[in-house]
Amino acid sequence: MNVDYRETAAYAAGLAFHNWSDAAPTTEKVIPVVGVHSYQPGQFFRRELPCLLAVLRELPPVAVVVVDGYVWLDGLSVAGLGAHLYQALAGKVAVIAVAKTRFAGAGATVEIVRGRSARPLFVTAAGMSAERAAEHVRSMHGPDRIPTLLKRADALCRRAGR
């Protein structure tokens, strides 16, 4: 799942798939979300969470959600977007967060290198171990650093926002 922000709205994209190695989703949804909070440092979840929840309501039930970012910002006490999403889903859906950049102080992060890139991805999770989450992300389709389906979600929301 991913969100693209524009002046008057945000566009949230979500994909459903059956297997971690799938090259294509079984379902794609992109929805506009109006009335999005402005960005506030340290409060990113207030802006992103409503968008993710809105697109999740349009998808078939899922067992795991993959988002861009972090679950925990300091190990296990300062909640990032992933922890807020996990809580909003009543802990019934695991959340894997995949970040492209290191967040200073984020603990319980598993670094993985994919494809031809030497730059790692930083994986955190709620509802499963970070190690298991990293195995799932590592096994996702695609020869590049960013898995195919994560790229697809990003492209869908950006295209909708144009």
Side-chain angles (χ1 to χ4, degrees):
M1 294 184 6
N2 211 329
V3 182
D4 184 63
Y5 298 95
R6 298 298 163 163
E7 212 170 289
T8 59
Y11 295 88
L15 310 174
F17 55 92
H18 291 296
N19 300 303
W20 290 101
S21 60
D22 286 352
T26 56
T27 306
E28 294 181 343
K29 295 288 181 181
V30 181
I31 61 166
V33 181
V34 295
V36 177
H37 288 276
S38 60
Y39 174 73
Q40 296 175 355
Q43 301 290 308
F44 180 65
F45 73 93
R46 293 191 189 281
R47 185 176 202 200
E48 188 107 345
L49 185 60
C51 301
L52 297 178
L53 292 172
V55 77
L56 271 173
R57 286 191 288 273
E58 301 295 320
L59 291 170
V62 297
V64 179
V65 174
V66 181
V67 297
D68 186 5
Y70 282 88
V71 172
W72 300 106
L73 300 179
D74 73 337
L76 292 174
S77 64
V78 178
L81 174 63
H84 287 285
L85 179 59
Y86 184 69
Q87 182 180 13
L89 298 172
K92 295 180 181 175
V93 176
V95 175
I96 297 173
V98 180
K100 294 179 247 359
T101 58
R102 180 184 309 278
F103 184 82
T109 301
V110 177
E111 293 183 27
I112 64 169
V113 176
R114 288 180 37 95
R116 300 169 288 239
S117 178
R119 294 177 41 214
L121 294 171
F122 304 91
V123 179
T124 54
M128 73 172 63
S129 72
E131 291 78 14
R132 183 167 178 223
E135 288 173 20
H136 288 317
V137 174
R138 191 178 288 115
S139 72
M140 291 180 82
H141 180 271
D144 300 320
R145 178 178 181 235
I146 309 298
T148 302
L149 295 180
L150 298 185
K151 281 185 186 179
R152 178 75 181 150
D154 182 63
L156 285 171
C157 64
R158 287 180 190 273
R159 188 175 318 131
R162 290 184 189 156

